[in-house]
């Protein structure tokens, strides 16, 4: 069993700072690595914000944890028992990175990928020791969502899976072990919901504002407390069977991306990062929304954990 004392997060991006803050708070000496000095500077602010949120959550804090920022890969990986890759979602890039990680760590170090859907078997195929590679898919924001998907590849050793689950439990999160499937479980469910939502908007059945209200206070409110399988039992399997027998035939099965999305991308409207997407945003609104949503997620998590 690997006792994780030192960790490295490779790639800061959107999630790196939050993941680093969680690891450091669990008493682990953690390095955040990025090739970009600008990205590392942004990561410092992101990590500070994540730590503030963890304080508000009153998350357990163990002695010995620390967070440092490195632009030298060897320095970031020195003595690491656990490495979490978080580079952009391109298979060729990840396959380029993993052999470099192997070159700097001991044979028993765990190599994990935060990929949101690329098969772990493909990522590990370029490794000398694919048996110690595992998927650890965090949800965004990673310092607020206490569930991590644990996905072994075809050659991942069971001990590596067990060690990864033990590490996740160490910082108070819930590990969910899954078999490999494109997109993994969380994103498959999310994208199925988003496809139906966008289809209803595309067809003019409902506008975006109404759709968000419907889902937030309809299924969203319930699913935060009652899981889908539990909801089936609560509603009655006979009821699901009766409604599903006609409704399933009418649900969207399109393999194409929604025209609502494609049209906005063509106009350069990519969401909050460009100031416009489904909705329009000012920089002040973006800052306010992020703060409000973090506060609400903190409150919901406290309520669910209580």
């Amino acid at each position: 069993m690997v006792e994780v004392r030192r960790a490295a997060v490779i790639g800061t991006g959107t999630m790196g700072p939050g993941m680093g803050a969680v690891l450091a708070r669990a008493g682990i000496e953690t390095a955040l690595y990025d090739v970009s000095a600008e990205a590392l500077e942004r990561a410092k602010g992101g990590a500070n914000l994540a730590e503030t949120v963890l304080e508000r959550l009153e998350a357990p804090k163990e002695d010995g944890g620390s967070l440092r920022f490195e632009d030298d890969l060897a320095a970031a990986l020195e003595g690491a028992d656990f490495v979490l890759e978080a580079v952009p979602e391109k298979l060729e890039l990840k396959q380029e990175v993993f052999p470099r990680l192997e070159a700097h760590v001991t044979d028993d170090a765990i190599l994990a990928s935060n990929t949101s859907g690329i098969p772990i078997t493909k990522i590990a195929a370029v490794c000398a020791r694919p048996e110690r590679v595992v998927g650890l898919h965090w949800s965004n924001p990673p310092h607020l969502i206490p569930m991590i998907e644990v996905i072994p590849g075809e050659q991942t050793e069971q001990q590596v899976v067990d060690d990864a689950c033990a590490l996740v439990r160490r910082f108070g999160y819930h590990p969910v072990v899954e078999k490999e499937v494109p997109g993994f479980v969380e994103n498959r469910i999310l994208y199925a919901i988003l496809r139906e939502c966008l289809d209803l908007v595309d067809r003019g059945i409902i506008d975006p504002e109404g759709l968000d209200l419907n889902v937030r206070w309809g299924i969203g409110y319930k699913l935060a407390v009652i899981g889908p399988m539990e909801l089936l039992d609560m509603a009655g399997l006979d009821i699901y069977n009766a409604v599903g027998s006609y409704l399933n035939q009418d649900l969207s099965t399109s393999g194409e991306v929604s025209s609502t999305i494609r049209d906005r991308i063509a106009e350069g409207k990519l969401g909050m990062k460009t100031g416009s997407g489904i909705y329009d945003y000012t920089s002040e609104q973006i800052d306010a929304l992020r703060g409000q949503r973090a506060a609400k997620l903190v409150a919901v998590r406290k309520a669910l954990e209580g």
Side-chain angles (χ1 to χ4, degrees), residues 26-219:
I28 299 168
E29 295 178 37
T30 305
L32 277 180
Y33 166 81
D34 205 291
V35 294
S36 166
E38 183 181 348
L40 282 175
E41 197 58 38
R42 285 197 307 269
K44 292 176 183 178
N48 288 334
L49 180 60
E51 178 59 27
T52 300
V53 173
L54 290 169
E55 285 289 343
R56 288 164 59 190
L57 280 168
E58 300 175 1
K61 187 173 185 178
E62 300 296 328
D63 294 335
S66 61
L67 193 58
R68 69 184 194 278
F69 302 84
E70 299 282 359
D71 60 4
D72 179 84
L73 184 63
L77 293 171
E78 185 178 358
D81 311 295
F82 171 73
V83 182
L84 180 58
E85 169 271 312
V87 303
E89 282 289 278
K90 296 180 180 179
L91 175 60
E92 59 273 20
L93 180 58
K94 293 180 186 293
Q95 288 183 331
E96 177 186 328
V97 166
F98 267 78
R100 296 175 62 200
L101 304 181
E102 279 194 306
H104 291 286
V105 297
T106 60
D107 286 347
D108 59 352
I110 298 171
L111 299 182
S113 175
N114 184 48
T115 176
S116 57
I118 297 174
I120 303 305
T121 300
K122 289 186 177 181
I123 294 173
V126 297
C127 293
R129 294 196 59 209
E131 66 273 12
R132 46 101 167 258
V133 178
V134 66
L136 282 186
H137 178 224
W138 302 52
S139 290
N140 194 28
H143 49 287
L144 274 168
I145 311 298
M147 186 282 296
I148 295 178
E149 294 179 288
V150 181
I151 310 99
E154 291 177 4
Q155 298 186 61
T156 307
E157 289 181 348
Q158 184 60 46
Q159 187 60 57
V160 172
V161 176
D162 294 344
D163 288 346
C165 289
L167 175 62
V168 172
R169 293 189 188 98
R170 178 173 162 186
F171 44 80
Y173 279 26
H174 305 283
V176 180
V177 180
E178 306 166 1
K179 293 181 179 179
E180 271 189 320
V181 63
F184 309 143
V185 172
E186 183 187 13
N187 273 336
R188 288 180 75 92
I189 295 169
L190 173 61
Y191 273 67
I193 292 172
L194 292 176
R195 177 172 65 181
E196 185 63 30
C197 289
L198 285 162
D199 179 67
L200 292 167
V201 171
D202 286 350
R203 293 194 286 140
I205 304 298
I206 193 169
D207 61 25
E209 294 85 351
L211 191 285
D212 280 344
L213 281 170
N214 185 302
V215 173
R216 185 183 298 124
W217 287 111
I219 62 171

